[in-house]
Amino acid sequence: MDLERRNEELEELYLLEACFPEAEKLKRDNRFLSQWKHYIECDGSPDPSIAQEINTFITLWKEETNETLEEVIEKSKLVLNLIEKLKLILLETPPYDLQGKNIIQYQESILELQELLHLKFNRATEILLRQASTLADLDSGNMEKVIQDENVTLYIWANLKKNPRHRSIRFSETQTGFEIPRILATSDIALRLLHTHYDHVTPLSPVLTPSQEHISIVTDFVKEEVKSVQTAVSKDLQEENKQENESNSVHEEETKAEGQGDVEEQMCPVQEEPEATKYEMEMKLLSETVSAAQELLLENASEKPYFLEENEVDLCQFTTLGGVYHLDILELPPQCKPMKGWMIVEILKEGLQKYTYPPETTEDLEAENVFPPIEVTLEVHENVIFFENPMVARWDAEGKQWKTDGISNVSYKSEERLITFNLETFCPVTLIQDAHINMPYQSWELRPLDVNKVLLTITTVFTELQIQIKENLCMLASIKVNNKNHSSILEEKWMTPVSFIIALKKAGLNIFPTGHSHLYVVINYKHPSVEVKAYRQMALLSSAFAFCWSKWNTACESKKTVFQVREHLLKEEPIRNPNWTLLMFSGDRAQSLKINESSDAFSEALKEETEFHSTLYHMVKDFASQEAMRAVRRSNCQFVDSVCHMLLSTRLLSYS
């Protein structure tokens, strides 16, 4: 392939890939627009990205006292929304646009909101427990209350009768409950299970930030671009000034007669040129930062981020699912007493106190018999999928980590979605699953559905996911678990790519590798620069071409990828056995292979009557129709960017 043609192909590809900086510019504009909309709406809620506003909100809420559980739950909707907005800012803003001080500010705001929300639940629980005697059940004599909401489920039981035979506690109309020992059945205690459908216990994940090497590469590029553009602008201005001076000297009399109006007309082109050049420079800078951010998404860590203690849950390997179950044994506060038409209550200065079980010191040699583990039965969140029996982990507040010790006799009933286990001491617990249970993938396919709309199908050992992508949105179209259709609340809900990825992970459908995933999964490693180029060009072609997995991708080296491609126009009827073309791509060279998917052995031999190209675009152009290539050139920039983001996030070429 001659150098001249190669340069022509790369120049044409560069023009097509201008859609990526255009999409990023639109996302920036949308972020500014959403801030402006929030400002003019004046709905009373703070902008979480502005430190002064969020700090004022936190301070004012701290001053509010005597809120009931219902009031706290209602306010929690706004608080959770603010936390989600801050998390989205950290995830959606390109790493090169995030300043270190802003990252710290956002993370501190998230932690403050999380801590304050939990504190409010504790204070509201105390207010409720002061009235326990007035809310007692007529049959048992004890107080029981269940409050359900979309974000939390709260179970509270107050031991008012202290009946030693009442040791089995089941909350009405649920299977949730406890088997408590005799010593607790005769104590002034209350049991609280606060099931938050979110996880505010696990430490925040570190924000993906570029290394100094990455920053210096981008910075050097920017300096060179600015320098070259400034030089070009300077030359253009000098040339125009020179022409203007010559014109003025020849037509001096005419210029005087023409008047000021014509001078203004002559000046206009000179003013427009820097504006156009400024835009060109901005897009070149955006193009480079977007490319660098995309490569950063595929960067593999060389080792685990921290040393694990005994029984500590490795959060790079496992993920918490279904929220957190905050289990507490509380000391029953002094009860309200009616007196001459008034309700008198003693308010303890220290507030709500936890009951220590088992005691920190005991002289009883048979402490295990006196203070046995407590049996707990929990209902698993209905919107979470476990492909294997979930594991239970408890929160170690001192070490700030999830641990698996102190838990025994775990049993799981998948049909009833009930998990039962024995817990030595009450503390927050969560259910965990291997984060890579659906990796590596068995196969994948990307095919057009409509104008600027595609369907991505990923098949794993346990499930088949179908994801629709259009413009800047993604949607879970269908899900099969063990070859059976499975309903999910995420189906038919359009979300931005980042929000969609978060939602799938929360539902237990993790098909998104991290920088540490290769340490836990046997993968078919491909060089990041090759992967990025492949995904970008596949996204560019996705309006008119279908792509799918090839078994030969594992047979070639790490700097080459192999996949199948075919033209797929929307007017075509579905083909039972479509004719796929096998392509090999190395980032800077594409070729059609002589072998096919059913060949006996792998070979890099070039297919007859085909030739090498520098890009996938020009490779498929050899056998594509004009209609297909027109559809590619008319693709919406946001759509191409969203498809590329999903391909980068799933890493199909390395993880299948």
Side-chain angles (χ1 to χ4, degrees), residues 5-275:
R5 193 182 75 176
R6 171 180 166 78
N7 289 336
E8 285 175 1
E9 289 184 353
L10 291 176
E11 282 177 17
E12 190 172 359
L13 177 67
Y14 178 78
L15 293 173
L16 288 168
E17 288 190 333
C19 63
F20 293 111
E22 283 174 18
E24 186 55 45
K25 190 174 187 305
L26 281 172
K27 283 190 275 189
R28 280 185 181 179
D29 293 344
N30 285 337
R31 284 196 290 271
F32 290 132
L33 183 62
S34 64
Q35 279 188 314
W36 173 247
K37 280 183 178 177
H38 181 273
Y39 174 75
I40 61 175
E41 277 174 3
C42 297
D43 61 359
S45 64
D47 182 341
S49 63
I50 299 174
Q52 186 179 352
E53 287 192 28
I54 197 69
N55 290 340
T56 302
F57 173 81
I58 290 170
T59 303
L60 291 174
W61 197 29
K62 280 180 181 177
E63 292 172 358
E64 291 181 30
T65 56
N66 299 324
E67 291 171 287
T68 63
L69 280 165
E70 288 80 4
E71 288 171 338
V72 172
I73 288 172
E74 188 58 36
K75 188 68 169 276
S76 72
K77 293 174 184 177
L78 171 59
V79 175
L80 293 171
N81 181 254
L82 295 174
I83 291 170
E84 287 306 308
K85 280 184 178 179
L86 286 169
K87 287 182 177 179
L88 277 175
I89 291 171
L90 290 171
L91 288 170
E92 288 185 334
T93 308
Y96 296 91
D97 286 352
L98 274 175
Q99 294 182 8
K101 64 177 183 180
N102 287 340
I103 294 174
I104 293 169
Q105 174 202 317
Y106 299 154
Q107 289 185 328
E108 285 179 349
S109 296
I110 290 170
L111 292 173
E112 273 196 80
L113 288 167
Q114 289 177 349
E115 289 170 8
L116 181 56
L117 181 57
H118 195 68
L119 177 66
K120 289 287 184 177
F121 273 116
N122 285 344
R123 287 180 178 170
T125 300
E126 182 185 3
I127 291 170
L128 177 67
L129 288 176
R130 287 188 206 138
Q131 309 165 44
S133 57
T134 63
L135 301 171
D137 180 69
L138 294 175
D139 295 330
S140 67
N142 297 316
M143 188 210 82
E144 177 193 304
K145 193 171 182 69
V146 178
I147 302 174
Q148 283 190 307
D149 182 72
E150 59 188 289
N151 299 312
V152 296
T153 307
L154 183 68
Y155 307 85
I156 297 180
W157 178 81
N159 189 16
L160 299 171
K161 284 295 183 181
K162 296 184 278 295
N163 184 347
R165 289 178 296 178
H166 192 84
R167 294 163 60 180
S168 182
I169 301 160
R170 285 290 177 274
F171 291 94
S172 58
E173 298 181 9
T174 75
Q175 295 295 313
T176 301
F178 314 100
E179 294 291 333
I180 61 174
R182 182 185 179 89
I183 193 167
L184 289 180
T186 56
S187 300
D188 276 325
I189 61 154
L191 300 178
R192 181 183 70 171
L193 165 55
L194 173 61
H195 178 201
T196 59
H197 304 168
Y198 49 83
D199 180 1
H200 285 177
V201 176
T202 303
L204 297 175
S205 301
V207 177
L208 194 66
T209 52
S211 61
Q212 274 312 119
E213 183 184 355
H214 269 102
I215 292 171
S216 62
I217 290 170
V218 176
T219 305
D220 291 343
F221 172 84
V222 173
K223 286 179 179 176
E224 287 298 317
E225 286 298 321
V226 171
K227 189 176 178 182
S228 63
V229 170
Q230 284 177 340
T231 304
V233 171
S234 178
K235 283 182 179 178
D236 289 345
L237 289 176
Q238 285 176 8
E239 187 66 31
E240 291 199 20
N241 285 335
K242 184 179 177 183
Q243 290 175 1
E244 188 182 336
N245 289 335
E246 288 175 1
S247 175
N248 284 343
S249 62
V250 174
H251 305 288
E252 187 175 349
E253 293 299 323
E254 292 180 20
T255 306
K256 286 179 182 176
E258 293 283 337
Q260 189 64 32
D262 290 341
V263 176
E264 287 177 3
E265 284 181 21
Q266 286 179 349
M267 288 299 290
C268 285
V270 181
Q271 290 172 347
E272 284 172 9
E273 181 62 28
E275 279 298 317

Side-chain angles (χ1 to χ4, degrees), residues 265-329:
E265 284 181 21
Q266 286 179 349
M267 288 299 290
C268 285
V270 181
Q271 290 172 347
E272 284 172 9
E273 181 62 28
E275 279 298 317
T277 313
K278 182 183 175 184
Y279 177 79
E280 184 185 345
M281 188 171 70
E282 181 189 2
M283 298 311 284
K284 280 187 176 180
L285 169 58
L286 261 180
S287 178
E288 188 62 23
T289 53
V290 166
S291 296
Q294 288 173 341
E295 282 202 35
L296 194 61
L297 275 175
L298 305 187
E299 210 171 69
N300 285 335
S302 56
E303 59 185 14
K304 295 178 184 179
Y306 50 83
F307 177 77
L308 293 172
E309 293 182 10
E310 189 179 2
N311 299 312
E312 182 184 353
V313 175
D314 184 352
L315 292 174
C316 291
Q317 182 180 5
F318 295 94
T319 183
T320 64
L321 286 177
V324 176
Y325 301 85
H326 296 264
L327 294 164
D328 295 295
I329 306 176

Side-chain angles (χ1 to χ4, degrees), residues 372-589:
I374 301 168
E375 184 182 288
V376 180
T377 301
L378 302 175
E379 293 182 355
V380 177
H381 197 294
E382 61 182 354
N383 297 327
V384 174
I385 298 174
F386 283 96
F387 297 99
E388 292 178 342
N389 288 353
M391 293 177 281
V392 184
R394 66 171 183 86
W395 180 247
D396 176 13
E398 189 177 336
K400 302 289 183 187
Q401 58 200 213
W402 291 107
K403 303 192 85 169
T404 54
D405 59 340
I407 301 163
S408 57
N409 300 335
V410 180
S411 67
Y412 179 59
K413 296 178 181 177
S414 56
E415 292 296 322
E416 295 93 332
R417 297 184 69 82
L418 292 175
I419 190 160
T420 302
F421 53 91
N422 289 349
L423 198 60
E424 288 180 6
T425 183
F426 266 27
C427 56
V429 299
T430 191
L431 306 181
I432 58 174
Q433 178 172 260
D434 187 345
H436 309 99
I437 199 165
N438 285 310
M439 300 176 205
Y441 322 126
Q442 292 186 322
S443 65
W444 58 269
E445 183 186 53
L446 178 72
R447 64 180 174 88
L449 284 180
D450 204 341
V451 179
N452 294 317
K453 188 176 183 180
V454 297
L455 180 72
L456 174 62
T457 304
I458 298 178
T459 306
T460 75
V461 173
F462 294 102
T463 183
E464 179 190 274
L465 293 174
Q466 291 197 326
I467 300 165
Q468 287 187 20
I469 307 167
K470 69 171 184 180
E471 296 175 359
N472 62 333
L473 300 169
C474 302
M475 178 192 76
L476 181 64
S478 73
I479 173 173
K480 287 182 181 178
V481 178
N482 297 323
N483 296 318
K484 294 179 182 177
N485 288 329
H486 183 92
S487 61
S488 169
I489 60 162
L490 297 179
E491 289 180 80
E492 308 300 322
K493 287 186 179 179
W494 290 100
M495 292 175 259
T496 61
V498 172
S499 298
F500 179 73
I501 290 169
I502 293 170
L504 277 192
K505 284 182 175 180
K506 282 183 179 178
L509 301 169
N510 185 17
I511 50 168
F512 308 102
T514 66
H516 296 95
S517 294
H518 67 286
L519 301 171
Y520 307 95
V521 183
V522 177
I523 69 166
N524 178 28
Y525 175 75
K526 298 298 175 184
H527 197 276
S529 64
V530 176
E531 269 196 280
V532 168
K533 288 177 181 177
Y535 297 144
R536 283 167 69 100
Q537 294 181 41
M538 285 164 68
L540 280 169
L541 296 165
S542 61
S543 288
F545 293 87
F547 296 86
C548 85
W549 166 89
S550 168
K551 67 180 182 181
W552 300 121
N553 190 42
T554 58
C556 61
E557 59 179 283
S558 63
K559 291 192 175 180
K560 294 176 181 176
T561 63
V562 176
F563 45 85
Q564 300 180 79
V565 63
R566 69 182 179 92
E567 185 178 309
H568 186 99
L569 293 175
L570 305 176
K571 64 183 180 182
E572 293 178 356
E573 292 294 324
I575 304 171
R576 179 164 294 190
N577 295 306
N579 187 22
W580 295 91
T581 300
L582 203 60
L583 295 187
M584 185 166 73
F585 183 58
S586 64
D588 52 13
R589 191 167 82 163

